[in-house]
Amino acid sequence: MLNQTPPPGTNGDAPGAKRPPSNLTRERVLDIEHFTDKLFRLRTTRSPTLRFQSGQFVMIGLEVGGRPLLRAYSVASAHYDDHLDFFSIKVPDGPLTSHLQHIAPGDELLVGSKPTGTLLLGNLLPGRRLYLLATGTGFAPFASILRDPETWERFETVIAVEGCREAAELAFADQTVRDVLEHELLGEMAAGKLLFYPTATREAYRFQGRITDLIRSGRMMRDLGVPDLDPNEDRVMICGSPAMLAELKTMLGASGFVEGSSATPGAFVIERAFVER
Ligand code: A2P
């Protein structure tokens, strides 16, 4: 159904322009950064009506064949930024990403107006250390969470972990961590509290291996100089490969970690919105 009154901040009211469905706004692409032949970051304008919490996702997409084609994407920018960032894979025959990977500054992107998701600080009980465990584009929501001052107020230590096949794929996470540490205000809050553990699974790198194996063996904690995982002190957010989510959920459950939700905060949260991709 088409909305006859376009929401403010969209260009749906330009003469002759087609209006997006009522739950979408049309944003403009401001900037694209390609990290590898498989990964890129997309920056768009942000409707002033869009409010979201760090860690949430929205539906984004393009009109393909005259119809909106949408997928869930975590917002990677901060809740206070006036732009939106998204971190995407490029799948050559992917229904959306085969088109999205060719998007250029000035192009239009459809953005949903109903952010949602489970990777919220409020879904976690108070704790000392926050682990952000991601593979691939699963790091996107953590780029938002790392830019939220509340994260640094709530936790003594924040451990950002990104697992990818190849070292070049770690660039987005690496850039995010550097941005946070160099940021005038966040940098001060994060100094001495932010630990970064980028790991590659299919080539030689400073840290190597799957996140699951590195936790199970205790190698990650030894490398970082932090205690073993403790459900009384550690809080965990997980986003990425479905196989990793399933394995980590079992591992954490066996160690006494209880999954949190907006109804009942817990010791860990998982984002399952992307498991179909
Ligand atoms: P691996 O190279 O050993 O398969 P993908 O590109 O397939 O989405 O994978 C992204 C990253 O997630 C890769 O480094 C991959 O490691 C890793 N991965 C895949 N399955 C698991 C799992 N069950 N536990 C932890 N990491 C995983």
Side-chain angles (χ1 to χ4, degrees):
M1 200 178 72
L2 288 181
N3 180 17
Q4 296 309 306
T5 320
T10 73
N11 63 357
D13 51 0
K18 269 208 305 189
R19 294 183 175 99
S22 60
N23 56 346
L24 296 171
T25 60
R26 291 183 195 275
E27 302 301 339
R28 284 272 158 218
V29 176
L30 298 171
D31 183 53
I32 306 279
E33 184 173 4
H34 294 274
F35 296 105
T36 68
D37 58 352
K38 292 196 205 80
L39 293 170
F40 69 111
R41 176 184 57 78
L42 179 63
R43 177 165 293 176
T44 72
T45 54
R46 172 183 178 176
S47 163
T49 59
L50 181 71
R51 294 275 171 274
F52 67 91
Q53 297 181 62
S54 310
Q56 287 189 312
F57 65 88
V58 289
M59 303 305 289
I60 69 168
L62 300 168
E63 265 176 29
V64 178
R67 308 233 313 259
L69 178 62
L70 304 165
R71 291 287 183 273
Y73 273 77
S74 295
V75 183
S77 43
H79 66 77
Y80 48 79
D81 283 333
D82 59 6
H83 59 260
L84 296 172
D85 279 347
F86 303 101
F87 181 37
S88 182
I89 46 168
K90 310 176 195 179
V91 182
D93 54 356
L96 178 63
T97 65
S98 61
H99 299 282
L100 200 60
Q101 63 185 285
H102 301 298
I103 205 164
D107 288 350
E108 229 174 44
L109 185 80
L110 298 173
V111 177
S113 44
K114 293 194 169 58
T116 183
T118 53
L119 301 176
L120 304 178
L121 291 170
N123 289 358
L124 291 174
L125 293 163
R128 295 183 69 175
R129 289 171 296 272
L130 173 64
Y131 280 85
L132 304 172
L133 305 180
T135 60
T137 55
F139 199 81
F142 303 147
S144 189
I145 286 167
L146 287 168
R147 291 187 171 95
D148 190 336
E150 197 184 330
T151 303
W152 304 105
E153 284 159 11
R154 282 193 187 220
F155 293 95
E156 290 171 20
T157 304
V158 178
I159 301 158
V161 183
E162 167 75 322
C164 289
R165 294 180 180 198
E166 292 162 17
E169 296 170 332
L170 299 165
F172 174 81
D174 191 55
Q175 189 186 76
T176 302
V177 166
R178 254 184 301 124
D179 283 354
V180 168
L181 291 173
E182 286 168 9
H183 188 277
E184 202 182 338
L185 300 174
L186 292 172
E188 240 174 67
M189 299 183 88
K193 289 179 136 193
L194 172 53
L195 303 178
F196 182 39
Y197 199 85
T199 173
T201 49
R202 301 199 187 186
E203 68 178 7
Y205 190 63
R206 184 160 46 114
F207 301 121
Q208 249 178 284
R210 288 186 167 192
I211 291 173
T212 42
D213 295 335
L214 291 160
I215 291 176
R216 208 179 280 117
S217 67
R219 176 73 199 255
M220 184 189 294
M221 288 69 193
R222 279 198 303 279
D223 286 344
L224 292 169
V226 295
D228 287 341
L229 277 185
D230 176 351
N232 296 315
E233 297 198 334
D234 290 309
R235 301 292 169 251
V236 187
M237 290 187 170
I238 309 165
C239 190
S241 138
M244 179 198 64
L245 303 187
E247 245 187 81
L248 282 175
K249 184 179 155 72
T250 305
M251 282 168 61
L252 290 172
S255 303
F257 284 74
V258 175
E259 188 169 358
S261 68
S262 53
T264 318
F268 75 98
V269 283
I270 294 180
E271 187 52 77
R272 296 184 176 81
F274 314 109
V275 295
E276 300 301 327
R277 272 200 302 179

